[in-house]
Amino acid sequence: MREQLEKRKMEESFDLFNRYSFIRHMQANWLMWKRYLDKPVILDELNYRKVENLRMPQELDLFDASEAIRRMQATYGMLSNDIAKGFLDGVQYNSTLAPIDCLAMGRHLMNQSRWTIAEQWILAGIKAHDRKDPQTEMMLLRGPTKAELFRTLGKVRFEMRNIGEALKAYQAALKHSPRDLEIFQEYQNLKRRVLTLSPSEPIREEPNDDIEEMELPPCCSGRCERPQKLKRLYCVYNCVTAPFLRLAPIKTEILSVDPFVILLHDMVSPTEGALIRSSSKNQILPSETVNAANEFEVAKFRTSKSVWFDSDANEATLKLTQRLGEATGLDMKHSEPFQVINYGIGGVFESHFDTSLADEDRFVNGYIDRLATTLFYLNDVPQGGATHFPGLNITVFPKFGTVLMWYNLHTEGLLHVRTMHTGCPVIVGSKWVVSKWIDDKGQEFRRPCLRSHLDSKYLSSIEKIII
């Protein structure tokens, strides 16, 4: 008994010393730190940090990145666990996602009521936690713990009305963290909720992604079977749309005759591509599109950054303009400026037409529309990032120096509906492209209305190569 009393006195004495040290620290040491923080050099540092924070990724950037991964996963049919292990659409990479990354994806999907795919990501986070990968100090400090992952899994499974598995998930969470009061209380509340849960209580339904599947077609992978008639197309040397091409013909690959879709090879030199990219990097901003009210806005269906350059902006744009005019036989004086576009990881442009006018409005009041689209590829993309035509089942993967060109309008000026196209999600790498749209007004003598395809020999534009 006497030993216990002495031990208790020692503990109280030690506790007293701790309290005294803490009080002294908060009173004396803190005043010295406060005086130091008030010095001009510290204020300058704090102001600098405020400016730097504005350049750091914001909450909206994280949302966009999470949505990009979700759309990429849906488009290419990838499993969450495969993505977390770095196995992307059949290719294994030497990189993985940490448990906290998987948990962040799961929570993002939970906010959208996408319970099925959210469950996949939480399970991927649990498997990532079991991997023996080396963890950084930030990972060890920030977590998440396995208990937190199982707790989130329980919440997801309850929303799916998978009650038995939800209870098991909470039991696993308590096994890993038996003294966590919040998890224990949630588990008890869940058991009580099960007893009072009405069979008619509605489930928060998951979003219907049928429309999104149309906007991001599954053939972005390029593994879909092409129609037999498209397999018989051929490559030619174009030497007929400009006198200079008799000396230096352009390699032209015909992808479709109706609508007319071609690839022009070796159209950009490495120096020209590097100049355009370097000139753009400090100027690109989130890409805008025109809405129904003819107003520019940053839309969710297009995740890219871009900047506009006039045709005479620099030496590279001047040469590309001249080269494109010679290759297509169209008048580049009647074309839009170049739009330099960068798509990052998961960057996408959902299925769309490049024209802006309805057929009934195209010949009213002298309105101008986009007769043709030309798309310069400024780099190779390691994986993903194809341009896909759902109506033709044609998938074109980026290749440096190549130009993809197609007509949006028939020769009589009406929309060609099979020119709908998709900028497929980038899986790995960064996609740099340059768009140049050619106006319909001003091309009347270069590409007049035709009675049939056989009359294309009378054109001065590039269709004459198919004869």
Side-chain angles (χ1 to χ4, degrees):
M1 185 72 177
R2 184 175 177 182
E3 291 178 356
Q4 290 177 349
L5 289 172
E6 289 180 355
K7 184 177 180 181
R8 185 174 180 182
K9 286 181 180 179
M10 289 178 64
E11 289 176 349
E12 289 177 351
S13 174
F14 184 73
D15 187 51
L16 176 64
F17 288 144
N18 282 339
R19 292 179 185 175
Y20 172 77
S21 178
F22 179 72
I23 292 171
R24 183 204 58 76
H25 169 72
M26 294 301 294
Q27 199 282 327
N29 288 4
W30 173 245
L31 288 177
M32 288 192 299
W33 277 109
K34 186 174 183 303
R35 193 179 308 161
Y36 175 70
L37 291 172
D38 287 337
K39 291 185 176 181
V41 63
I42 298 299
L43 294 176
D44 290 342
E45 179 67 19
L46 291 174
N47 290 331
Y48 172 73
R49 291 294 165 197
K50 287 180 181 178
V51 174
E52 284 295 300
N53 285 340
L54 295 176
R55 299 175 184 171
M56 298 292 284
Q58 305 298 312
E59 185 176 354
L60 182 61
D61 297 310
L62 178 60
F63 177 89
D64 286 345
S66 302
E67 273 294 278
I69 291 177
R70 181 190 69 77
R71 285 191 297 249
M72 178 181 70
Q73 182 178 5
T75 302
Y76 298 103
M78 293 187 282
L79 298 176
S80 305
N81 191 50
D82 287 342
I83 298 175
K85 292 189 298 185
F87 186 70
L88 307 179
D89 197 29
V91 181
Q92 181 64 56
Y93 293 92
N94 188 26
S95 59
T96 57
L97 292 180
I100 192 170
D101 301 320
C102 297
L103 180 60
M105 273 301 301
R107 286 174 173 167
H108 171 78
L109 295 161
M110 289 168 66
N111 291 335
Q112 299 180 348
S113 300
R114 298 178 185 272
W115 311 116
T116 304
I117 191 67
E119 181 187 34
Q120 272 194 36
W121 276 104
I122 303 303
L123 289 171
I126 293 171
K127 289 185 178 180
H129 202 285
D130 292 335
R131 290 200 304 259
K132 302 302 181 183
D133 299 341
Q135 293 188 332
T136 64
E137 291 183 5
M138 182 59 70
M139 291 180 185
L140 295 172
L141 179 65
R142 182 66 180 86
T145 63
K146 211 165 184 180
E148 187 176 356
L149 289 164
F150 275 110
R151 175 189 188 181
T152 309
L153 181 63
K155 293 178 180 179
V156 171
R157 286 178 169 172
F158 175 77
E159 294 292 348
M160 299 170 71
R161 294 299 184 265
N162 193 347
I163 305 302
E165 294 300 318
L167 291 171
K168 287 182 182 179
Y170 269 100
Q171 290 165 1
L174 286 171
K175 181 181 178 181
H176 287 90
S177 185
R179 295 182 178 83
D180 193 309
L181 183 59
E182 287 187 7
I183 296 179
F184 179 74
Q185 287 177 342
E186 285 182 13
Y187 176 58
Q188 296 299 322
N189 291 336
L190 178 59
K191 289 198 295 185
R192 285 193 292 269
R193 182 85 184 276
V194 170
L195 296 175
T196 60
L197 189 64
S198 170
S200 61
E201 185 172 332
I203 300 175
R204 282 192 285 173
E205 293 186 1
E206 300 193 30
N208 185 347
D209 289 336
D210 289 345
I211 296 177
E212 189 171 81
E213 287 181 8
M214 293 172 56
E215 294 168 342
L216 290 171
C219 291
C220 275
S221 63
R223 290 191 285 268
C224 293
E225 185 69 17
R226 292 183 69 185
Q228 189 66 31
K229 63 180 181 179
L230 293 179
K231 294 181 180 179
R232 297 190 212 145
L233 298 179
Y234 50 89
C235 300
V236 298
Y237 278 101
N238 173 17
C239 56
V240 298
T241 52
F244 176 71
L245 298 188
R246 295 178 183 177
L247 298 175
I250 294 176
K251 288 181 283 186
T252 305
E253 184 177 349
I254 302 172
L255 303 181
S256 171
V257 173
D258 185 25
F260 191 71
V261 184
I262 59 172
L263 278 173
L264 305 170
H265 293 277
D266 301 327
M267 288 283 287
V268 185
S269 72
T271 302
E272 292 163 350
L275 175 59
I276 292 175
R277 290 197 303 271
S278 61
S279 303
S280 309
K281 286 182 179 179
N282 294 329
Q283 302 181 54
I284 57 174
L285 297 170
S287 300
E288 294 182 328
T289 55
V290 179
N291 60 22
N294 283 329
E295 297 173 338
F296 285 96
E297 64 176 3
V298 178
K300 293 182 180 179
F301 59 81
R302 185 185 191 187
T303 53
S304 65
K305 293 184 177 181
S306 59
V307 62
W308 293 88
F309 283 151
D310 289 331
S311 297
D312 58 354
N314 54 48
E315 185 179 352
T317 57
L318 279 169
K319 288 183 177 179
L320 293 187
T321 302
Q322 179 184 1
R323 203 169 297 146
L324 187 61
E326 293 172 344
T328 62
L330 298 173
D331 189 348
M332 292 299 111
K333 294 177 182 177
H334 301 280
S335 65
E336 296 184 26
F338 289 100
Q339 187 182 31
V340 184
I341 312 167
N342 175 247
Y343 295 90
I345 300 298
V348 65
F349 198 165
E350 295 175 2
S351 297
H352 63 285
F353 295 105
D354 280 352
T355 53
S356 57
L357 300 174
D359 284 343
E360 57 269 21
D361 299 330
R362 189 161 286 113
F363 308 107
V364 179
N365 298 327
Y367 290 145
I368 298 174
D369 210 348
R370 292 167 171 173
L371 169 69
T373 296
T374 56
L375 196 62
F376 294 76
Y377 295 114
L378 294 189
N379 70 323
D380 296 328
V381 178
Q383 199 174 7
T387 303
H388 178 69
F389 295 84
L392 298 170
N393 197 10
I394 293 175
T395 305
V396 180
F397 289 92
K399 180 184 177 183
F400 172 74
T402 301
V403 176
L404 176 62
M405 182 261 186
W406 68 89
Y407 284 111
N408 298 301
L409 305 176
H410 291 278
T411 57
E412 68 271 22
L414 301 179
L415 173 67
H416 206 310
V417 294
R418 293 201 295 169
T419 59
M420 176 183 281
H421 56 285
T422 311
C424 296
V426 175
I427 300 177
V428 175
S430 179
K431 174 182 171 183
W432 283 91
V433 296
V434 177
S435 292
K436 190 172 185 62
W437 289 280
I438 302 171
D439 300 337
D440 56 354
K441 190 175 182 180
Q443 312 296 340
E444 293 85 357
F445 294 103
R446 303 289 182 104
R447 190 180 187 252
C449 183
L450 300 179
R451 291 172 296 176
S452 71
H453 292 300
L454 297 177
D455 291 336
S456 59
K457 60 186 176 182
Y458 300 114
L459 298 174
S460 58
S461 53
I462 194 170
E463 299 97 301
K464 64 169 63 178
I465 65 173
I466 66 176
I467 301 299

